[in-house]
Amino acid sequence: QVQLVESGGGSVQAGGSLGLSCVASGYNARDYCLGWYRQAPGNDPLGIAALDSDGSTSYADAVRGRFTVSIDNAKNTLYLQMNSLKSEDSAMYYCAAYTPRFRGGKRFCTPFNILNARGQGTLVTVSS
C-alpha cells in the first residue's frame, strides 16, 4: 500500500518561493506515477504536477514555468519547488500517486490521471 507523507508547507509573500517534500513508501514505479495536487477552500481539487519513472514531467497550465517536480529515488522523496508564488496558489497541497494511462503502447503520467493515493496534505499560504 502506498503511503505518502508531505512536509514543507508554510506562509510566504507573493513572489517568493517555497519547497515541499513527500516521502513515499510502498511505492512501485511500475504501477504508479507520483505528483502533486492542491485544493483551496471552496474549490475543486486541481492536479498540478506529475513525474514518471523515466523522468518525464507534466504540469497544469496554472503552474507551468513556476513549479518544478523532481524526485530523489535514493531517498524515496518527491519534491515540489514553487517559485514566483501568487496569492491564488494558496491551498492545501497533497502528494499523490496516480495510475498511469496507456495509449498506443505509450505510458502517460499527468496530474489528471486517476488518483490512487494521497498524503495528509500540507498548507501553503501566499500573502499579497
Side-chain angles (χ1 to χ4, degrees), residues 2-14:
V2 179
Q3 292 190 321
L4 306 167
V5 180
E6 307 94 336
S7 62
S11 298
V12 64
Q13 289 192 325

Side-chain angles (χ1 to χ4, degrees), residues 6 39 43 71 78 91 100 102 106 114:
E6 307 94 336
Q39 187 168 19
N43 288 2
I71 193 167
L78 185 76
F102 293 89
K106 186 176 179 180
I114 294 173

